[in-house]
């Protein structure tokens, strides 16, 4: 018997594809993109095409395990679920009794973005709130940009990416669309068929930049300066939309004064983009309506990242593009989704502290007695890798990891609990790069003894004698609760069709009824920003790497860590075929920087700074400018030469807003091995 089961990709990607699983005699034998879904259009990415293979991998964790070797050795013995639940229950009870619930750090990541099983729905947080555990600030991905956009627009939400098909000028700003969300490219192609001009603004000449009409190779961390320079040209051209400015914005005269401080010549010095290119794009921006800007998360992973998104969102306020279908900025569509997440706040008996995801190295101190990791691989994905490794060696730290594969983080666990994969459980998803809700129906039985996130916490709650009804809700009951605020979208509809468009106009134009700011207008100047100690007026806040000249630096090269084409964060980092295609850890270096250091193409080199070092194979390339190097993220440290990856060199410090991470604000040097 053969069945067609509708589902959705769970991974941390804006496209959140709708997929179809073919099941024959209880086994998943085929996977393809859903041809009926308006955004997926039948295609999956090179990574997810291998998802069924990944579920059957030889190194899949299939049973609960207990550590039998030193922490970090990865030596475990198989135990039963009853043994695992007893060990975990006893330790959690003891920790709460002796140290209080705040001694528990539930460290949840974006391994799945599901609203039932994953981070979007804060899966497991009812249980943690019942114990009074510390809050977890899941800030690693997009918080600086989110906060910057809120200051300008009142929300990170903006354009429907499908409306890029209507754009006449498209700025792909700090985003490698063909690697990190390739379904958008179909809509860009539709726009180009109607004469649209596409510009990639990126420190690297990426796959996407190769396909664009123009590429501006900007210095990392100087994006806000470029935005000001482009607007300076708009003003020179007299092309600001005066009616829109008067009717829909606040603080224009203050912001105009800021723009006038950044003529193209000055901006060229800051950004490294030739003045003539700034002027040419500025003129095009001045006279092309609508202009759509796609800016994604890599853009804001530096010390001025929040300010950069705050300012980029101002551009369509000056040009009036927010009024047009196909105009504005697309960053994340999540805030358009009206799902009602219930994380059990009512179960807290009082205030608890907040621990920050990107501060694991510094905050995993003696006050934390239990680290519970799920949907995350911090030893592969978080800053300051060496200090995290040292902190996780503590013998008094009880570490539980819910996982599918033996990651570097698993090697430091005391208890490992096997987790289901997407074909093995139910979930509800939204794409943060489109306007659809998707349902993921369970296609097959869980492999081995693996359990879903929700079932693991239900069993643990029962084992600990916790009787709060919300801790025992089924997945379908959780889904019904989530959908209470979604007009016209029911669980029955989603289970039947697999997806539904949000209840918004098509084409969708945001902010037609005003902006969700205190003034109801787009705010070039913000009292909220001033109250938070930030500049009142949107402006350029340089990254740390952009503040100093190479000659004045101890480590002269700016390193950025773009997404790999063959892994998603560290997901698929152990897939043999995708590992082969990645050709191992690489660092792209300009010919000038390679010659100055005696680096040889294809040879291993040591990339280092005061935080640590990792080994990568040199790729001498004109895709990066002198002074900038690029080392794709996602490699597992233990599968890499030298046992480290890029995050061994990344600082544990904050961006200007949201305590965002600074992966692309990193100074290093390189030496041959």
């Amino acid at each position: 018997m053969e069945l067609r089961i509708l589902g959705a990709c769970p991974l941390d990607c804006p496209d959140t594809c709708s997929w179809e699983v073919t099941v024959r005699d209880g086994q998943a034998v085929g996977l393809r993109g859903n041809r009926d879904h308006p955004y997926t259009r039948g295609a999956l990415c090179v990574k997810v095409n291998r998802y069924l293979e990944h579920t059957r991998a030889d190194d899949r964790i299939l049973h609960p395990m207990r550590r039998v070797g030193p922490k970090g050795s990865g030596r475990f013995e198989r135990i039963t679920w009853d043994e695992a639940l007893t060990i975990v229950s006893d330790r959690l009870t003891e920790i709460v009794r002796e140290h209080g619930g705040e001694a528990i750090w539930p460290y949840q990541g974006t391994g799945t973005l599901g609203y039932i099983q994953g981070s979007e729905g804060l899966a497991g947080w009812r249980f943690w709130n019942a114990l009074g555990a510390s809050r977890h600030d899941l800030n690693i991905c997009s918080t600086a940009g989110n906060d910057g956009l809120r200051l300008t627009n009142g929300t990170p939400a903006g354009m429907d990416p499908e409306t890029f098909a209507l754009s006449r000028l498209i700025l792909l700003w700090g985003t490698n669309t063909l690697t990190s969300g390739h379904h958008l490219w179909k809509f860009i192609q539709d726009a180009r068929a109607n004469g649209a001009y596409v510009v990639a603004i990126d420190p690297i000449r990426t796959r996407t930049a190769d396909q664009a009409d123009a590429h501006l190779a900007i210095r990392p961390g100087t994006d806000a300066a470029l935005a000001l320079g482009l607007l300076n040209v708009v003003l020179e051209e007299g092309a600001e939309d005066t009616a829109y400015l008067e009717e829909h914005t606040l603080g224009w005269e203050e912001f105009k004064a800021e723009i006038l401080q950044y003529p193209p010549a000055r901006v060229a010095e800051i950004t490294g983009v030739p003045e003539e290119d700034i002027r040419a794009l500025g003129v095009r921006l001045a006279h092309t309506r609508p202009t759509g800007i796609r800016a994604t998360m890599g853009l804001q992973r530096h010390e001025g990242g929040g300010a950069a998104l705050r300012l980029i969102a101002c551009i369509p306020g000056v040009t009036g593009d927010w009024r047009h279908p196909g105009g504005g900025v697309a960053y994340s569509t999540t805030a358009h989704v009206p799902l009602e997440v219930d994380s059990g706040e009512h179960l807290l008996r009082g205030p608890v502290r907040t621990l920050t995801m990107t501060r694991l190295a510094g905050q995993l101190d003696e006050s934390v007695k239990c680290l519970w990791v799920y949907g995350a691989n911090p030893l592969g994905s978080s800053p300051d890798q060496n200090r995290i490794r040292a902190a996780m060696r503590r013998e008094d730290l009880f570490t539980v990891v819910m996982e599918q594969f033996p990651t570097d983080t698993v090697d430091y666990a005391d208890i490992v609990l096997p987790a289901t994969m997407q074909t093995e459980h139910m979930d509800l998803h939204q794409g943060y790069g489109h306007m659809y809700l998707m349902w993921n129906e369970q296609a097959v039985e869980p492999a081995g003894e693996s359990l879903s996130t929700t079932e693991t916490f239900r069993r643990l709650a029962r084992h600990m004698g916790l009787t709060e009804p919300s801790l025992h809700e089924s997945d379908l009951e959780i889904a019904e609760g989530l959908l209470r605020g979604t007009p016209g979208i029911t669980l029955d509809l989603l289970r039947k069709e697999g997806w539904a468009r949000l209840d918004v106009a098509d084409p969708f134009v945001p902010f037609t009824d005003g902006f969700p700011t205190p003034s109801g207008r787009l705010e070039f100047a913000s009292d909220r920003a001033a109250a938070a100690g930030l500049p009142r007026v949107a402006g350029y806040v340089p990254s740390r790497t952009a503040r100093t000249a190479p000659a004045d630096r101890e480590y002269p090269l700016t390193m950025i860590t773009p997404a790999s084409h063959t892994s998603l964060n560290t997901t698929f980092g152990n897939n043999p075929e995708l590992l082969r295609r990645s050709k191992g850890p690489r660092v792209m270096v300009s010919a000038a920087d390679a010659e100055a250091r005696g680096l040889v193409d294809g040879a291993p080199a040591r990339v280092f700074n005061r935080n640590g070092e990792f080994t990568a194979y040199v790729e001498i390339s004109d895709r990066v400018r002198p002074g900038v190097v690029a080392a794709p993220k996602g490699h597992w440290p233990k599968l890499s030469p030298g046992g480290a990856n890029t995050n061994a060199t990344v600082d544990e410090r904050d961006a200007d807003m949201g305590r965002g991470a600074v992966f692309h604000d990193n100074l290093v040097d390189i030496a041959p091995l």
Side-chain angles (χ1 to χ4, degrees), residues 318-365:
V318 177
T319 61
D321 275 297
W322 280 123
R323 71 163 86 239
H324 303 295
V329 177
Y331 180 70
S332 170
T333 58
T334 297
H336 290 308
V337 180
L339 296 181
E340 296 185 3
V341 175
D342 176 11
S343 61
E345 291 291 308
H346 66 285
L347 301 176
L348 281 170
R349 298 190 182 97
V352 296
R353 67 178 177 174
T354 296
L355 298 172
T356 303
M357 187 175 195
T358 55
R359 289 285 182 161
L360 181 62
Q363 293 183 349
L364 189 57
D365 57 21

Short mmCIF file of all heavy atoms in Angstrom, two decimals, residues 318-365:
data_model
loop_
_atom_site.label_atom_id
_atom_site.label_comp_id
_atom_site.label_asym_id
_atom_site.label_seq_id
_atom_site.Cartn_x
_atom_site.Cartn_y
_atom_site.Cartn_z
N VAL A 318 11.68 56.93 2.85
CA VAL A 318 12.09 58.13 2.11
C VAL A 318 11.58 58.08 0.68
O VAL A 318 11.11 59.09 0.12
CB VAL A 318 13.63 58.26 2.13
CG1 VAL A 318 14.08 59.46 1.29
CG2 VAL A 318 14.14 58.40 3.57
N THR A 319 11.65 56.91 0.05
CA THR A 319 11.25 56.79 -1.36
C THR A 319 9.76 56.53 -1.52
O THR A 319 9.26 56.57 -2.66
CB THR A 319 12.02 55.63 -2.01
OG1 THR A 319 11.69 54.40 -1.33
CG2 THR A 319 13.52 55.86 -1.96
N GLY A 320 9.06 56.25 -0.41
CA GLY A 320 7.64 55.95 -0.50
C GLY A 320 7.34 54.54 -0.96
O GLY A 320 6.18 54.21 -1.27
N ASP A 321 8.35 53.67 -1.00
CA ASP A 321 8.13 52.31 -1.52
C ASP A 321 7.21 51.48 -0.64
O ASP A 321 6.62 50.50 -1.13
CB ASP A 321 9.47 51.60 -1.70
CG ASP A 321 10.11 51.92 -3.04
OD1 ASP A 321 9.51 51.57 -4.06
OD2 ASP A 321 11.19 52.52 -3.05
N TRP A 322 7.06 51.83 0.63
CA TRP A 322 6.16 51.05 1.48
C TRP A 322 4.71 51.12 0.98
O TRP A 322 3.90 50.28 1.36
CB TRP A 322 6.23 51.55 2.93
CG TRP A 322 7.40 51.06 3.73
CD1 TRP A 322 8.33 51.83 4.35
CD2 TRP A 322 7.75 49.70 4.02
NE1 TRP A 322 9.25 51.04 5.01
CE2 TRP A 322 8.91 49.73 4.83
CE3 TRP A 322 7.21 48.47 3.68
CZ2 TRP A 322 9.53 48.57 5.30
CZ3 TRP A 322 7.82 47.31 4.14
CH2 TRP A 322 8.96 47.37 4.94
N ARG A 323 4.40 52.07 0.14
CA ARG A 323 3.01 52.19 -0.33
C ARG A 323 2.72 51.26 -1.51
O ARG A 323 1.56 51.08 -1.88
CB ARG A 323 2.70 53.64 -0.72
CG ARG A 323 3.36 54.12 -1.97
CD ARG A 323 2.71 55.40 -2.53
NE ARG A 323 3.24 56.62 -1.94
CZ ARG A 323 2.49 57.50 -1.30
NH1 ARG A 323 1.19 57.28 -1.14
NH2 ARG A 323 3.03 58.61 -0.80
N HIS A 324 3.76 50.64 -2.11
CA HIS A 324 3.58 49.89 -3.36
C HIS A 324 3.69 48.38 -3.14
O HIS A 324 4.59 47.92 -2.42
CB HIS A 324 4.65 50.29 -4.38
CG HIS A 324 4.69 51.74 -4.70
ND1 HIS A 324 3.65 52.39 -5.32
CD2 HIS A 324 5.66 52.69 -4.48
CE1 HIS A 324 3.97 53.66 -5.49
NE2 HIS A 324 5.17 53.87 -4.98
N PRO A 325 2.87 47.57 -3.80
CA PRO A 325 3.15 46.14 -3.87
C PRO A 325 4.51 45.93 -4.54
O PRO A 325 4.79 46.52 -5.58
CB PRO A 325 2.02 45.58 -4.74
CG PRO A 325 0.93 46.61 -4.69
CD PRO A 325 1.63 47.93 -4.53
N GLY A 326 5.36 45.13 -3.90
CA GLY A 326 6.71 44.94 -4.42
C GLY A 326 7.70 45.95 -3.90
O GLY A 326 8.87 45.95 -4.31
N GLY A 327 7.28 46.83 -2.98
CA GLY A 327 8.17 47.81 -2.39
C GLY A 327 8.32 47.58 -0.90
O GLY A 327 7.43 47.07 -0.24
N GLY A 328 9.49 47.96 -0.35
CA GLY A 328 9.71 47.84 1.08
C GLY A 328 10.89 46.94 1.39
O GLY A 328 11.81 46.78 0.58
N VAL A 329 10.86 46.35 2.59
CA VAL A 329 11.93 45.48 3.07
C VAL A 329 11.31 44.17 3.53
O VAL A 329 10.30 44.16 4.24
CB VAL A 329 12.72 46.12 4.23
CG1 VAL A 329 13.78 45.16 4.75
CG2 VAL A 329 13.35 47.44 3.80
N ALA A 330 11.93 43.06 3.14
CA ALA A 330 11.55 41.74 3.65
C ALA A 330 12.70 41.22 4.50
O ALA A 330 13.82 41.05 4.02
CB ALA A 330 11.28 40.78 2.50
N TYR A 331 12.43 41.00 5.78
CA TYR A 331 13.42 40.44 6.72
C TYR A 331 12.87 39.13 7.28
O TYR A 331 13.41 38.07 7.07
CB TYR A 331 13.71 41.45 7.82
CG TYR A 331 14.72 40.98 8.86
CD1 TYR A 331 16.06 40.85 8.53
CD2 TYR A 331 14.33 40.75 10.18
CE1 TYR A 331 16.99 40.45 9.48
CE2 TYR A 331 15.26 40.36 11.14
CZ TYR A 331 16.59 40.21 10.79
OH TYR A 331 17.50 39.82 11.75
N SER A 332 11.73 39.22 7.97
CA SER A 332 11.07 38.03 8.51
C SER A 332 9.57 38.28 8.48
O SER A 332 9.11 39.37 8.80
CB SER A 332 11.52 37.76 9.94
OG SER A 332 10.72 36.77 10.54
N THR A 333 8.82 37.25 8.12
CA THR A 333 7.36 37.36 8.12
C THR A 333 6.72 36.81 9.38
O THR A 333 5.50 36.80 9.51
CB THR A 333 6.77 36.62 6.90
OG1 THR A 333 7.17 35.24 6.96
CG2 THR A 333 7.24 37.23 5.60
N THR A 334 7.52 36.36 10.33
CA THR A 334 6.99 35.68 11.52
C THR A 334 5.95 36.52 12.25
O THR A 334 4.92 36.00 12.71
CB THR A 334 8.13 35.31 12.48
OG1 THR A 334 8.99 34.38 11.82
CG2 THR A 334 7.60 34.66 13.75
N ALA A 335 6.20 37.81 12.38
CA ALA A 335 5.28 38.65 13.16
C ALA A 335 3.92 38.82 12.49
O ALA A 335 2.98 39.33 13.12
CB ALA A 335 5.91 40.02 13.42
N HIS A 336 3.77 38.42 11.24
CA HIS A 336 2.46 38.43 10.60
C HIS A 336 1.59 37.25 11.04
O HIS A 336 0.40 37.22 10.75
CB HIS A 336 2.61 38.37 9.07
CG HIS A 336 3.16 39.60 8.44
ND1 HIS A 336 2.65 40.86 8.68
CD2 HIS A 336 4.20 39.79 7.57
CE1 HIS A 336 3.33 41.75 7.98
NE2 HIS A 336 4.27 41.14 7.31
N VAL A 337 2.20 36.25 11.69
CA VAL A 337 1.51 35.00 11.99
C VAL A 337 0.80 35.11 13.34
O VAL A 337 1.44 35.35 14.36
CB VAL A 337 2.51 33.83 12.02
CG1 VAL A 337 1.81 32.52 12.34
CG2 VAL A 337 3.24 33.72 10.68
N PRO A 338 -0.52 34.92 13.37
CA PRO A 338 -1.28 35.16 14.62
C PRO A 338 -1.45 33.92 15.50
O PRO A 338 -2.46 33.76 16.17
CB PRO A 338 -2.64 35.62 14.07
CG PRO A 338 -2.81 34.85 12.81
CD PRO A 338 -1.42 34.69 12.22
N LEU A 339 -0.46 33.02 15.54
CA LEU A 339 -0.57 31.85 16.39
C LEU A 339 -0.43 32.24 17.86
O LEU A 339 0.35 33.14 18.21
CB LEU A 339 0.49 30.82 16.03
CG LEU A 339 0.38 30.22 14.62
CD1 LEU A 339 1.48 29.20 14.39
CD2 LEU A 339 -0.98 29.58 14.40
N GLU A 340 -1.19 31.57 18.73
CA GLU A 340 -1.21 31.89 20.15
C GLU A 340 -0.38 30.87 20.93
O GLU A 340 -0.84 29.78 21.26
CB GLU A 340 -2.66 31.91 20.66
CG GLU A 340 -3.51 32.99 20.01
CD GLU A 340 -4.90 33.09 20.60
OE1 GLU A 340 -5.20 32.35 21.57
OE2 GLU A 340 -5.70 33.90 20.10
N VAL A 341 0.87 31.23 21.20
CA VAL A 341 1.79 30.33 21.90
C VAL A 341 1.53 30.43 23.40
O VAL A 341 1.56 31.52 23.98
CB VAL A 341 3.25 30.69 21.58
CG1 VAL A 341 4.21 29.84 22.41
CG2 VAL A 341 3.52 30.50 20.09
N ASP A 342 1.30 29.29 24.03
CA ASP A 342 1.10 29.22 25.48
C ASP A 342 2.27 28.44 26.07
O ASP A 342 2.32 27.22 26.01
CB ASP A 342 -0.22 28.51 25.81
CG ASP A 342 -0.43 28.33 27.31
OD1 ASP A 342 0.34 28.93 28.09
OD2 ASP A 342 -1.34 27.58 27.70
N SER A 343 3.22 29.18 26.64
CA SER A 343 4.41 28.54 27.23
C SER A 343 4.25 28.30 28.72
O SER A 343 5.22 27.96 29.40
CB SER A 343 5.64 29.41 26.97
OG SER A 343 5.48 30.69 27.57
N GLY A 344 3.05 28.48 29.23
CA GLY A 344 2.80 28.18 30.64
C GLY A 344 3.35 29.21 31.60
O GLY A 344 3.82 28.88 32.69
N GLU A 345 3.27 30.49 31.22
CA GLU A 345 3.75 31.55 32.12
C GLU A 345 3.04 31.51 33.47
O GLU A 345 3.62 31.86 34.50
CB GLU A 345 3.56 32.92 31.47
CG GLU A 345 4.43 33.18 30.26
CD GLU A 345 5.89 33.32 30.63
OE1 GLU A 345 6.21 34.12 31.52
OE2 GLU A 345 6.71 32.63 30.02
N HIS A 346 1.78 31.07 33.47
CA HIS A 346 1.01 31.04 34.71
C HIS A 346 1.55 30.02 35.70
O HIS A 346 1.20 30.04 36.90
CB HIS A 346 -0.46 30.72 34.41
CG HIS A 346 -0.67 29.35 33.86
ND1 HIS A 346 -0.35 29.02 32.55
CD2 HIS A 346 -1.17 28.21 34.42
CE1 HIS A 346 -0.65 27.75 32.34
NE2 HIS A 346 -1.15 27.24 33.45
N LEU A 347 2.42 29.12 35.24
CA LEU A 347 2.97 28.10 36.12
C LEU A 347 4.15 28.60 36.96
O LEU A 347 4.53 27.97 37.94
CB LEU A 347 3.41 26.88 35.30
CG LEU A 347 2.31 26.21 34.46
CD1 LEU A 347 2.89 25.10 33.62
CD2 LEU A 347 1.21 25.68 35.38
N LEU A 348 4.71 29.74 36.57
CA LEU A 348 5.81 30.31 37.34
C LEU A 348 5.30 30.84 38.69
O LEU A 348 4.30 31.54 38.73
CB LEU A 348 6.47 31.45 36.57
CG LEU A 348 7.45 31.07 35.46
CD1 LEU A 348 7.82 32.31 34.65
CD2 LEU A 348 8.70 30.43 36.03
N ARG A 349 6.03 30.53 39.74
CA ARG A 349 5.63 31.02 41.08
C ARG A 349 6.20 32.40 41.38
O ARG A 349 5.82 33.02 42.36
CB ARG A 349 6.09 30.02 42.14
CG ARG A 349 5.44 28.64 41.99
CD ARG A 349 5.73 27.77 43.21
NE ARG A 349 5.16 26.45 43.07
CZ ARG A 349 5.82 25.39 42.65
NH1 ARG A 349 7.10 25.51 42.32
NH2 ARG A 349 5.24 24.21 42.54
N GLY A 350 7.11 32.85 40.56
CA GLY A 350 7.72 34.16 40.78
C GLY A 350 8.71 34.45 39.67
O GLY A 350 8.92 33.63 38.78
N PRO A 351 9.33 35.63 39.70
CA PRO A 351 10.30 36.00 38.65
C PRO A 351 11.50 35.05 38.66
O PRO A 351 11.92 34.56 39.71
CB PRO A 351 10.72 37.42 39.04
CG PRO A 351 9.67 37.90 39.98
CD PRO A 351 9.15 36.70 40.69
N VAL A 352 12.04 34.80 37.48
CA VAL A 352 13.25 33.99 37.35
C VAL A 352 14.23 34.74 36.47
O VAL A 352 13.86 35.61 35.68
CB VAL A 352 12.97 32.60 36.77
CG1 VAL A 352 12.09 31.79 37.70
CG2 VAL A 352 12.31 32.70 35.39
N ARG A 353 15.50 34.39 36.58
CA ARG A 353 16.53 35.05 35.79
C ARG A 353 16.46 34.59 34.34
O ARG A 353 15.89 33.56 34.02
CB ARG A 353 17.91 34.75 36.37
CG ARG A 353 18.31 33.28 36.23
CD ARG A 353 19.70 33.03 36.77
NE ARG A 353 20.06 31.61 36.70
CZ ARG A 353 21.26 31.14 37.01
NH1 ARG A 353 22.21 31.96 37.43
NH2 ARG A 353 21.51 29.84 36.91
N THR A 354 17.11 35.37 33.47
CA THR A 354 17.23 35.02 32.06
C THR A 354 18.70 34.77 31.74
O THR A 354 19.56 35.58 32.07
CB THR A 354 16.69 36.15 31.16
OG1 THR A 354 15.29 36.31 31.40
CG2 THR A 354 16.91 35.83 29.69
N LEU A 355 18.96 33.64 31.11
CA LEU A 355 20.29 33.31 30.64
C LEU A 355 20.29 33.39 29.11
O LEU A 355 19.31 33.05 28.46
CB LEU A 355 20.69 31.91 31.10
CG LEU A 355 20.77 31.76 32.63
CD1 LEU A 355 20.98 30.30 33.03
CD2 LEU A 355 21.88 32.63 33.21
N THR A 356 21.39 33.86 28.55
CA THR A 356 21.44 34.23 27.14
C THR A 356 22.17 33.17 26.33
O THR A 356 23.30 32.79 26.66
CB THR A 356 22.13 35.59 26.98
OG1 THR A 356 21.42 36.55 27.77
CG2 THR A 356 22.15 36.04 25.53
N MET A 357 21.54 32.75 25.24
CA MET A 357 22.06 31.66 24.42
C MET A 357 23.50 31.88 23.98
O MET A 357 24.34 30.98 24.06
CB MET A 357 21.15 31.49 23.20
CG MET A 357 21.46 30.30 22.34
SD MET A 357 20.23 30.15 21.03
CE MET A 357 20.54 28.48 20.49
N THR A 358 23.80 33.07 23.49
CA THR A 358 25.14 33.34 22.97
C THR A 358 26.14 33.68 24.06
O THR A 358 27.29 33.98 23.76
CB THR A 358 25.10 34.50 21.96
OG1 THR A 358 24.50 35.64 22.59
CG2 THR A 358 24.30 34.12 20.73
N ARG A 359 25.72 33.60 25.32
CA ARG A 359 26.62 33.83 26.44
C ARG A 359 26.85 32.55 27.24
O ARG A 359 27.15 32.59 28.43
CB ARG A 359 26.03 34.91 27.36
CG ARG A 359 26.06 36.31 26.75
CD ARG A 359 27.46 36.88 26.78
NE ARG A 359 27.55 38.23 26.27
CZ ARG A 359 28.58 39.06 26.53
NH1 ARG A 359 29.56 38.63 27.29
NH2 ARG A 359 28.62 40.25 26.00
N LEU A 360 26.72 31.42 26.56
CA LEU A 360 26.87 30.13 27.25
C LEU A 360 28.23 30.00 27.91
O LEU A 360 28.34 29.52 29.04
CB LEU A 360 26.64 28.99 26.26
CG LEU A 360 26.73 27.57 26.81
CD1 LEU A 360 25.68 27.33 27.87
CD2 LEU A 360 26.60 26.55 25.69
N ALA A 361 29.29 30.40 27.23
CA ALA A 361 30.63 30.25 27.78
C ALA A 361 30.78 30.98 29.11
O ALA A 361 31.36 30.45 30.07
CB ALA A 361 31.67 30.76 26.79
N GLY A 362 30.25 32.20 29.19
CA GLY A 362 30.41 32.99 30.41
C GLY A 362 29.38 32.72 31.46
O GLY A 362 29.65 32.84 32.67
N GLN A 363 28.16 32.34 31.07
CA GLN A 363 27.07 32.18 32.05
C GLN A 363 26.89 30.75 32.54
O GLN A 363 26.13 30.51 33.48
CB GLN A 363 25.76 32.68 31.44
CG GLN A 363 25.76 34.18 31.21
CD GLN A 363 24.44 34.71 30.68
OE1 GLN A 363 23.55 33.97 30.29
NE2 GLN A 363 24.32 36.02 30.67
N LEU A 364 27.60 29.78 31.93
CA LEU A 364 27.53 28.40 32.40
C LEU A 364 28.50 28.24 33.57
O LEU A 364 29.52 27.55 33.49
CB LEU A 364 27.86 27.43 31.26
CG LEU A 364 27.62 25.95 31.54
CD1 LEU A 364 26.18 25.68 31.93
CD2 LEU A 364 28.01 25.11 30.33
N ASP A 365 28.14 28.89 34.68
CA ASP A 365 29.01 28.92 35.85
C ASP A 365 28.47 28.00 36.93
O ASP A 365 27.57 27.19 36.70
CB ASP A 365 29.18 30.35 36.35
CG ASP A 365 27.84 31.01 36.70
OD1 ASP A 365 26.84 30.29 36.94
OD2 ASP A 365 27.78 32.26 36.73
#
